[in-house]
Amino acid sequence: QALPAEYNSAGSDVALLKCGFSLSRDIARYWNEFDPQQQSLVTSMIGRPVMDTSVVSPGAQFRLHYDTTGPETVPAEDLDVNGIPDFVDRAGVYLDSAWNLFHTKLGYLLPPDDGTSGGDSKYDVYFASIGGYGITFFDPTGPAPWDDFTSFILIHRDFAGFAPNQDPEGSQIGALKVTCAHEYFHAVQLAYDGLDDLWMYESSATWNEVELFPEVKDNYQFLPFFYNDTDTFLTTNGGFHPYGAFVWPLYLAENYTDTLMRKIWEASISANGIDAIDDALSGWGVSTGGIFADFGVWNFFTGDRAQAGYYPSGAEYPGVILDRALPVIPFTNEHPLKAPDGLASTYMSLATAGAPAGLALIELTGNATVVWDMSVILKDPGGAYETRDVQMDFTKSNGTFALYNFTDWDSMFISVQVVSRFNNDNDFTLSASVLPYGDANGSANINIADITYLIAYIFSFGQAPPYDVRLGDANCSGSVNIADITFLIKHIFAAGPAPCLQ
C-alpha cells in the first residue's frame, strides 16, 4: 500500500503470489549493484514493518508482530479470551510445530541470530497486507563463512479470498498453516545458502507443507504446472513450476530418508543445485541422473493411473499428460510433439491391438549431446501394470526394449527421460518392429539362416536367440530344441505351417 498507485496491485487483476522469496533473494543477490539511492529506496519498501503489538509463540521461539488497528489488522476473534487474536495464537502453534520438526527431529541448523532486531533475539514474524501468502526477507548477511543470511517473515494478515484448500478447519486456517511451514523453511535454508537455485528453495519449502500439514493440500493447486509440462526442466526457476515440483523432494524422502533434504542443504554450502543433491545422494551410491528414470515412472503412476508403492496420495494428483499416442507396431522414426529439456520426461502410449504377433523390438535414438533413459510400462487386460527397464547404451544415447508375446498386453506406455541436466528441446525418435516366432537370429525374417543358428545353439554351444530365447521356439512348445529345427525345415522347404500356427 505504500507504493504509488501505478505500482500497487490492490484491486487489480494481478494474481496472488505463492511466495515472495524470489524477489527477496534477487534483492540480496544484486544488492551491491544498486547505487546508494536505490539501496535506500529498496530498504524503505522491504524493511521490517512497525506493528503496534507483539507476542511470543507458545514454544518461545518466535516473536509475532501484528496490528490491532488500521489496514494491517489481523482477524480480531479471540475465542479463548486470552487477549491475543486466535489467528496469531494459531500461527504461533504452527510455527512452533515447524521449529520442532526442522530442528528437534531433523537436525537442521537454526536461522542465524538477528540480535535484537524486532525487539529481541527470537525469530520475527510480521502479519501484513501483502500480495501473496508470505515472504521471507533477507536481512544482513549471517555470521558463517558461507552465504548465510539473517531474515524475518511477512505473512498475510488474514488470507481472505485466497485459493481454497482442503483443510477441515477452513481454507484461511489451511493457508496460514502451510505458509508458516513454507516460509519458516526458507528461513532455515538461509542458514546454509541464500544464493542457490530458486527451484531448490521453492520445491523443498512446498514439500515441507506436506510433511507438516498433509491435511491442507494447498500445494495441489500447483501440481498441474508440473504434470502438464513434464518435458520442462526440473530445474525451471520461473512461474509456478518450482512449487509443483515439490514431488521431487517428496520422491527423495519416500525412497531414501526424510533427513536427505537436510543433507542436501548441508551440501549446498559448497555446491549448488543438482551438484548438492548428487553430493547428498552419493551416500546411497546413486545420482540424480541415475534415479531420474525411476522418478519418471513415479510420476506416471498418478491420477487415475495411481498404484500402491508410489506416491501415497498419487490418486489425488492430476496425472502426467501423454505427449502423443504412437501408431500400432510396426512404425519407424516417430518424434515427440514436445521434446524434453534436461532432467525432464516425455510420455507416450502405444496400442497393441491389431499388431502382428511375435516379439516387439522398440528402439530409442536420442540427440547425442545428452544422456537418455527410458522405461516401458505395461498394462494387462485386467488393468494391472508392470514396469520394465530398458537396455540403454548411454555412450550412444540410445536404448532397446524387447517384449515377447507383446500382444498379450492391453497397452504399453513409453517413459522417456533426458537424465542430463542441460539443453532444451532434445529431440528423439522411436521405432518399433516385430520379430516373428522362429526368427532365431533376430533378423526380422524366417529363412535358412535361422535353421543354421538353432543348430549351432543346440549342438555347438552357439549364441542363444537374441532378446528372448523363445524366439527360437518355432513350434511354441515352451522350449527350444531339435523339434524347432525340424519345424523350420518343413516350413521353409515343404510348405509347412508358419511358426506357432500349427
Side-chain angles (χ1 to χ4, degrees):
Q1 283 140 345
L3 290 172
E6 64 267 30
Y7 302 118
N8 194 314
S9 64
S12 75
D13 293 328
V14 177
L16 286 168
L17 295 173
K18 167 66 174 175
C19 171
F21 186 81
S22 61
L23 168 65
S24 179
R25 187 198 62 152
D26 284 348
I27 291 172
R29 175 174 285 182
Y30 301 113
W31 182 256
N32 291 332
E33 297 184 28
F34 297 159
D35 63 35
Q37 182 179 2
Q38 291 168 334
Q39 289 180 348
S40 176
L41 178 61
V42 171
T43 299
S44 70
M45 295 181 185
I46 68 168
R48 292 171 182 251
V50 177
M51 302 291 185
D52 62 34
T53 308
S54 74
V55 296
V56 175
S57 67
Q61 306 301 335
F62 299 87
R63 180 164 291 279
L64 311 177
H65 305 259
Y66 61 98
D67 275 348
T68 56
T69 60
E72 310 295 342
T73 305
V74 298
E77 184 177 67
D78 181 17
L79 295 179
D80 59 2
V81 198
N82 68 347
I84 303 171
D86 294 339
F87 187 85
V88 177
D89 274 334
R90 285 175 174 271
V93 172
Y94 304 150
L95 288 162
D96 284 342
S97 296
W99 194 98
N100 288 327
L101 174 65
F102 299 151
H103 306 305
T104 303
K105 180 182 177 182
L106 299 178
Y108 284 95
L109 293 175
L110 290 166
D113 191 334
D114 67 359
T116 59
S117 296
D120 54 24
S121 62
K122 299 185 188 304
Y123 192 90
D124 295 295
V125 177
Y126 301 81
F127 298 90
S129 296
I130 55 177
Y133 285 64
I135 179 169
T136 303
F137 273 117
F138 290 50
D139 255 356
T141 56
W146 54 79
D147 291 326
D148 67 330
F149 290 84
T150 56
S151 61
F152 64 92
I153 290 172
L154 266 63
I155 291 177
H156 197 278
R157 67 182 184 90
D158 63 7
F159 295 102
F162 278 59
N165 55 61
Q166 299 183 41
D167 192 282
E169 298 182 87
S171 291
Q172 286 174 266
I173 297 303
L176 176 60
K177 287 178 180 178
V178 298
T179 303
C180 289
H182 187 109
E183 296 303 332
Y184 185 60
F185 193 65
H186 281 324
V188 172
Q189 292 164 341
L190 295 183
Y192 298 93
D193 185 1
L195 304 177
D196 209 317
D197 295 336
L198 180 64
W199 73 274
M200 281 272 292
Y201 294 102
E202 297 298 4
S203 63
S204 57
T206 307
W207 162 65
N208 272 299
E209 299 174 20
V210 180
E211 296 298 289
L212 269 164
F213 303 111
E215 73 278 9
V216 180
K217 302 175 183 177
D218 179 84
N219 48 15
Y220 283 20
Q221 65 179 302
F222 303 109
L223 284 172
F225 295 95
F226 180 80
Y227 283 122
N228 291 356
D229 294 297
T230 56
D231 59 291
T232 300
F233 291 102
L234 171 67
T235 56
T236 295
N237 284 319
F240 291 125
H241 189 275
Y243 304 104
F246 78 81
V247 291
W248 169 246
L250 175 59
Y251 165 83
L252 295 178
E254 290 288 328
N255 282 276
Y256 299 96
T257 172
D258 56 2
T259 61
L260 175 59
M261 186 53 63
R262 190 202 74 216
K263 296 178 185 295
I264 291 172
W265 283 105
E266 290 170 348
S268 75
I269 290 173
S270 57
N272 281 343
I274 299 299
D275 289 332
I277 296 173
D278 284 348
D279 285 350
L281 285 173
S282 64
W284 285 268
V286 297
S287 66
T288 300
I291 63 175
F292 199 76
D294 186 55
F295 176 59
V297 172
W298 274 59
N299 290 321
F300 175 84
F301 287 120
T302 50
D304 59 7
R305 294 185 292 267
Q307 300 287 300
Y310 296 94
Y311 296 116
S313 300
E316 301 178 62
Y317 295 177
V320 296
I321 301 297
L322 299 180
D323 180 79
R324 57 172 298 197
L326 294 167
V328 175
I329 295 176
F331 57 80
T332 303
N333 293 337
E334 294 289 341
H335 294 259
L337 299 177
K338 297 170 67 176
D341 299 332
L343 288 180
S345 305
T346 294
Y347 302 87
M348 298 179 175
S349 64
L350 192 159
T352 58
L359 178 144
L361 187 62
I362 301 172
E363 298 174 277
L364 165 74
T365 302
N367 177 345
T369 60
V370 296
V371 180
W372 298 83
D373 209 339
M374 182 169 74
S375 301
V376 174
I377 302 162
L378 307 169
K379 182 181 180 183
D380 70 21
Y385 288 93
E386 184 176 321
T387 302
R388 303 282 183 88
D389 291 329
V390 175
Q391 182 180 350
M392 299 296 300
D393 185 338
F394 295 107
T395 63
K396 297 181 180 179
S397 296
N398 60 33
T400 302
F401 174 74
L403 180 64
Y404 186 81
N405 275 355
F406 74 100
T407 54
D408 289 349
W409 298 90
D410 178 68
S411 54
M412 302 169 63
F413 300 90
I414 312 295
S415 170
V416 177
Q417 281 76 36
V418 176
V419 300
S420 303
R421 67 183 77 172
F422 305 113
N423 293 358
N424 63 320
D425 296 333
N426 301 287
D427 196 19
F428 65 88
T429 61
L430 286 170
S431 297
S433 56
V434 178
L435 305 185
Y437 303 119
D439 180 19
N441 63 1
S443 67
N445 294 292
I446 298 174
N447 52 39
I448 192 172
D450 297 301
I451 298 172
T452 304
Y453 195 96
L454 280 180
I455 291 173
Y457 169 62
I458 296 171
F459 298 107
S460 304
F461 304 102
Q463 290 184 330
Y467 310 117
D468 191 309
V469 70
R470 290 174 293 180
L471 265 182
D473 183 16
N475 62 4
C476 289
S477 66
S479 61
V480 178
N481 52 41
I482 192 172
D484 297 299
I485 298 173
T486 304
F487 189 97
L488 286 178
I489 291 173
K490 290 181 179 178
H491 169 63
I492 294 170
F493 297 108
C500 297
L501 294 179
Q502 71 274 22

